[in-house]
Amino acid sequence: MRNRWIKVLGTGSSVPDRVLTNGDLERMVDTSDEWITTRTGIKERRIAEPQETTATFALRASQRALQEAGIAPEDLDLIVVATVTPDMLFPATACLVQKELGAKKACGFDLEAGCTGFVYALAVAEKYLLAGGGEKALVVGAETLSKIVDWQDRATCVLFGDGAGAVVLGVADEPGILATYLGCDGNGGSLLELPAGCSRFPASFDTVNNRLHYIKMSGNEVFKFAVRVMEEASLEVARRAGISTQEVDLFIPHQANIRIINSAAKRLEIPEERIFVNVHKYGNTSSASIPLALDEAYREGRIREGDLLLLVGFGAGLTWGSAIIRW
Ligand code: UT7
């Protein structure tokens, strides 16, 4: 019997004040509230101001999570920020957060696994603490996708939004994270990519003129992959945790599209009242989506002590990941 577990000690989140509605988007591209609502479930999303960066929201979410956990920044051993929109390629956004928090003894790095980033970061931090790397970790999912969205491309610009969520993890002698499962398949990499700005296509006039610094996505292909992998990843992590998905008290899936969420829940036989949804308010916030949903669910009283949570995500890479947590 194990006597060392990793528990979530506190959660926090932060989103920009500015709201962009479907009605606003109707005035920007050839789209309609009706199309966006029926195809995605999204009604509005939050958009960062020019001076606000991913670290802005990562920091606020982290401060709230630390406060909720009753943990001082100086006690953190590890900071992982999952993001596809770091403030810069380097230094890592985790280091910017570390500095602002004053987390003097923590090491920190960014982790990029598309929209699955937070679940990857959660699993990595859990394993790091279990292996004896320290006692406390801060895991953040944070994005300012509005800065890499092509505001002329109606197929993608209606989907994404900005925000951040964070959790503080700590070593405990009773169950917390019961199991995690991660996977990737680079064969699907071209289905969702941001082509330029790094070693393949360094920034040039051509990359700018060809709009290669923006998200490119084959939406329908990603949709089919998502529906399949959400079910597979959920079943595999439930098997590892020794539970059935019908026992899950709250299902917190990546918030990309209400149709993907409902179809996965149906296949997993999870009833509607046990699914947490906030995609209508924030759109797809990539790495931030699951921790933002987790924090809202907790603050709304949807999570009680002892509850079994199922977190599952998918995204660019292609990647997928899932976790079962005993709260
Ligand atoms: O976190 C991972 C990131 N990615 C995702 O989660 C995305 C997964 N994919 C999806 O959510 C869906 O595929 C979308 C919401 C992106 C699209 O829904 P769809 O049912 O797969 O539509 P579609 O791409 O097959 O497009 C249907 C039609 C097309 O018109 P035609 O070719 O049938 O005439 C599009 O041009 O809808 C058109 N369309 C739009 N119309 C109005 C595409 N975007 C828009 C739009 N407004 N914003």
Side-chain angles (χ1 to χ4, degrees):
M1 189 54 189
R2 276 171 68 177
N3 59 5
R4 192 176 166 91
W5 301 85
I6 305 307
K7 266 185 111 69
V8 176
L9 305 178
T11 65
S13 62
S14 169
V15 294
D17 291 334
R18 190 172 145 217
V19 175
L20 185 74
T21 66
N22 292 349
D24 297 329
L25 283 161
E26 284 177 350
R27 291 182 284 278
M28 295 163 63
V29 287
D30 179 17
T31 191
S32 66
D33 173 42
E34 198 266 331
W35 190 96
I36 302 170
T37 306
T38 53
R39 297 285 177 132
T40 72
I42 301 166
K43 297 299 282 183
E44 56 188 43
R45 66 290 288 143
R46 299 302 182 97
I47 304 293
E49 300 300 335
Q51 75 281 8
E52 291 175 323
T53 68
T54 294
T56 309
F57 304 104
L59 178 66
R60 288 180 197 153
S62 300
Q63 286 165 332
R64 286 172 191 160
L66 285 162
Q67 190 179 26
E68 181 70 35
I71 299 292
E74 297 80 17
D75 293 333
L76 292 171
D77 300 293
L78 169 70
I79 300 174
V80 189
V81 176
T83 185
V84 298
T85 48
D87 282 35
M88 293 169 277
L89 263 181
F90 55 86
T93 303
C95 297
L96 306 179
V97 171
Q98 182 268 346
K99 169 183 166 251
E100 294 301 326
L101 286 175
K104 293 191 185 68
K105 75 169 173 172
C107 63
F109 62 92
D110 290 358
L111 185 157
E112 196 272 283
C115 300
T116 322
F118 176 78
V119 183
Y120 264 69
L122 185 76
V124 166
E126 185 223 4
K127 273 52 177 176
Y128 182 87
L129 296 183
L130 279 179
E135 296 286 314
K136 304 275 184 299
L138 173 68
V139 181
V140 189
E143 305 285 3
T144 42
L145 296 169
S146 63
K147 313 233 183 189
I148 58 163
V149 153
D150 185 346
W151 291 103
Q152 294 179 13
D153 175 15
R154 69 172 185 175
T156 52
C157 76
V158 302
L159 303 174
F160 299 102
D162 302 337
V167 299
V168 175
L169 300 181
V171 175
D173 53 12
E174 54 173 28
I177 298 173
L178 299 186
T180 60
Y181 166 59
L182 307 177
C184 77
D185 178 9
N187 289 305
S190 61
L191 298 178
L192 180 49
E193 59 182 16
L194 192 154
C198 291
S199 63
R200 188 177 294 186
F201 301 115
S204 67
F205 289 113
D206 273 354
T207 61
V208 172
N209 290 335
N210 293 320
R211 311 187 76 75
L212 296 183
H213 294 273
Y214 296 126
I215 298 174
K216 311 282 174 199
M217 179 170 72
S218 307
N220 205 262
E221 295 302 312
V222 176
F223 187 98
K224 286 184 262 180
F225 154 74
V227 169
R228 176 176 58 75
V229 84
M230 292 266 271
E231 181 190 12
E232 281 173 20
S234 299
L235 291 175
E236 175 56 21
V237 79
R239 190 191 66 73
R240 292 181 182 197
I243 64 151
S244 91
T245 55
Q246 288 103 308
E247 289 173 63
V248 166
D249 295 297
L250 196 63
F251 178 45
I252 306 183
H254 171 42
Q255 308 283 316
N257 185 318
I258 191 66
R259 291 188 292 144
I260 296 174
I261 294 173
N262 286 341
S263 127
K266 194 169 162 204
R267 287 159 176 244
L268 296 166
E269 299 180 48
I270 298 174
E272 206 181 321
E273 63 275 14
R274 295 193 193 168
I275 312 172
F276 190 81
V277 176
N278 64 7
V279 69
H280 51 289
K281 293 196 287 184
Y282 303 119
N284 181 346
T285 57
S286 190
S287 293
S289 114
I290 291 178
L292 181 54
L294 178 66
D295 184 53
E296 277 205 1
Y298 175 71
R299 282 168 206 271
E300 285 173 18
R302 295 276 305 269
I303 307 176
R304 283 174 305 265
E305 194 156 349
D307 275 359
L308 270 181
L309 311 185
L310 166 57
L311 278 42
V312 59
F314 63 90
L318 298 170
T319 55
W320 55 91
S322 46
I324 301 265
I325 301 175
R326 171 78 69 190
W327 200 257

